[in-house]
Amino acid sequence: MDRTEEIEYFRPHQVNRALVSTPRAGGKSFIVARALRRLGQDVTLYGFLGGPTGQYLRAECAKLGIRDRHTTIEGETRINTVLVDRHAGLATVINEPGPEISKTEAESLRRALDEHIEAGDILVLSGSLPRGIPLDTYAGLITSARQRGARAIVDAEGEVLVSAVSVGPWAVKCNLQEFRAIAPDAPEEVTTEAARQQLFDCMRVIVAAGVQLVIVTLGANGLLAVSRTEALEVSAPSVVAKNPTGSGDTFLAAFVAAYSNASSLEYALKFGAAAASANAAVLVPDIGPSPQLDTLVAGTTVIRHEPDFADSGVAGTDR
Ligand SMILES: Nc1ncnc2c1ncn2[C@@H]1O[C@H](COP(=O)(O)OP(=O)(O)OP(=O)(O)O)[C@@H](O)[C@H]1O
Ligand SMILES: [Mg+2]
């Protein structure tokens, strides 16, 4: 849960009085699930919930129409506090360490997912892993989803991302900094045409290694996407950014919603970028109302690049 405390002037090392205190179901999975529901998708959440905060989040699932298949844990679900200094317009974030998950609890989540996931489902694996969970957990879930005819898309970082990519998920979405964990040769920033080409090349290598779709988001600069047959550069529709946190999660939800409605890859990416921009323009992570999304989609441009797999060995391969 995220709890936002709005303070007129934040003074460190002193007693501060909050003007407004707002709790909200937070974390990557909730941002993704809430946006998917707003877009009319049938959503089931898996994860770990415990204690009174866990109860609060279960009630939120019911309110939002999200199917709640969380595993109940001994530990307590964490609260992350955001201290907003109204005068400075800046926030200080305090993230609790979060509960430790036992082996039995981890196995219980795995069983719930194995039991319910069906052919045609899209499994979104989003965020870091709680303490006590092995780093290769996403890899196991991806393999198991594939065996059941479901497709997995991963948004993670570091070793968790490396391990997930090694088993060939359907898709990967990460930001540039996270992408460098699986592609150390990727540029640190994309400000020149040469850097963009270098990034495209690194993404092609990941596709060649068995991931069907690689999406790297670049904040206000939009995103690049590479599949076996397409290489696309998508601009982010320009907005006055208030808080881009959660834009990647909102992109992921909107992309998955459009893609599962049989939109083309190009349209799904544009729709994702539009929703992500709408999220960046508001203070609390949220997808915009649909008329605003239509305007933002119209403000998104796509440049098609040559797929150009001649050197990467991808051409002609099929998983
Ligand atoms: N300032 C901005 N203005 C317009 N669009 C933005 C802005 N920041 C982000 N976006 C949109 O959001 C998408 C994802 O942003 P970003 O690359 O920052 O994701 P992220 O780092 O994964 O974010 P998070 O993990 O906090 O959700 C971008 O591809 C872009 O379409
Ligand atoms: Mg992200």
Side-chain angles (χ1 to χ4, degrees):
M1 182 169 83
D2 291 333
R3 190 168 50 208
T4 305
E5 309 281 3
E6 292 181 44
I7 299 160
E8 190 66 49
Y9 292 91
F10 175 58
R11 294 183 183 84
H13 317 132
Q14 290 187 37
V15 173
N16 290 270
R17 284 185 201 289
L19 302 170
V20 193
S21 175
T22 324
R24 191 167 197 256
K28 299 206 162 282
S29 62
F30 253 97
I31 298 176
V32 174
R34 191 186 280 116
L36 280 167
R37 275 306 294 151
R38 286 278 298 275
L39 295 167
Q41 297 292 312
D42 182 6
V43 186
T44 306
L45 263 182
Y46 296 83
F48 304 101
L49 291 177
T53 307
Q55 283 307 324
Y56 171 85
L57 295 177
R58 286 193 187 280
E60 283 297 289
C61 283
K63 231 194 270 174
L64 294 166
I66 294 167
R67 201 174 295 106
D68 171 11
R69 289 216 183 101
H70 288 95
T71 300
T72 301
I73 53 165
E74 281 273 307
E76 294 216 4
T77 298
R78 66 177 169 160
I79 299 175
N80 292 336
T81 304
V82 185
L83 303 171
V84 176
D85 182 324
R86 276 196 186 171
H87 183 72
L90 295 171
T92 303
V93 179
I94 303 168
N95 285 349
E96 290 186 358
E100 177 111 21
I101 308 299
S102 72
K103 212 167 163 229
T104 327
E105 290 163 348
E107 279 163 9
S108 159
L109 182 142
R110 171 71 183 266
R111 265 200 314 278
L113 212 102
D114 281 352
E115 192 182 321
H116 293 286
I117 199 156
E118 289 176 1
D121 284 350
I122 297 185
L123 174 65
V124 180
L125 296 168
S126 181
S128 56
L129 298 174
R131 291 185 297 152
I133 297 279
L135 285 177
D136 62 356
T137 296
Y138 278 174
L141 296 177
I142 291 163
T143 306
S144 163
R146 182 166 51 229
Q147 285 161 355
R148 288 165 174 78
R151 285 175 294 186
I153 182 164
V154 183
D155 177 1
E157 59 182 44
E159 286 304 307
V160 177
L161 179 61
V162 172
S163 151
V165 166
S166 75
V167 297
W170 164 58
V172 170
K173 135 65 193 129
C174 47
N175 65 29
L176 183 56
Q177 192 201 341
E178 291 157 352
F179 182 66
R180 284 165 50 81
I182 49 171
D185 293 338
E188 277 172 44
E189 49 177 21
V190 181
T191 46
T192 61
E193 185 49 35
R196 186 172 8 264
Q197 285 312 325
Q198 192 188 343
L199 177 55
F200 265 135
D201 286 344
C202 292
M203 292 166 72
R204 288 181 183 110
V205 171
I206 305 298
V207 173
V211 180
Q212 291 184 42
L213 173 65
V214 177
I215 302 169
V216 177
T217 57
L218 306 167
N221 294 324
L223 60 100
L224 302 187
V226 175
S227 72
R228 275 188 247 131
T229 53
E230 292 173 283
L232 303 171
E233 178 185 343
V234 181
S235 71
S238 114
V239 291
V240 179
K242 274 204 181 137
N243 178 12
T245 310
S247 289
D249 309 324
T250 308
F251 164 82
L252 188 55
F255 168 75
V256 165
Y259 200 79
S260 63
N261 286 342
S263 298
S264 66
L265 174 62
E266 177 173 333
Y267 182 80
L269 293 169
K270 285 173 78 165
F271 189 69
S277 278
N279 176 82
V282 292
L283 212 52
V284 176
D286 207 358
I287 189 173
S290 54
Q292 186 200 0
L293 288 182
D294 292 343
T295 312
L296 288 169
V297 170
T300 309
T301 54
V302 176
I303 300 173
R304 284 189 168 270
H305 292 256
E306 277 302 308
D308 193 13
F309 281 112
D311 299 330
S312 59
V314 144
T317 59
D318 218 20
R319 288 186 98 240

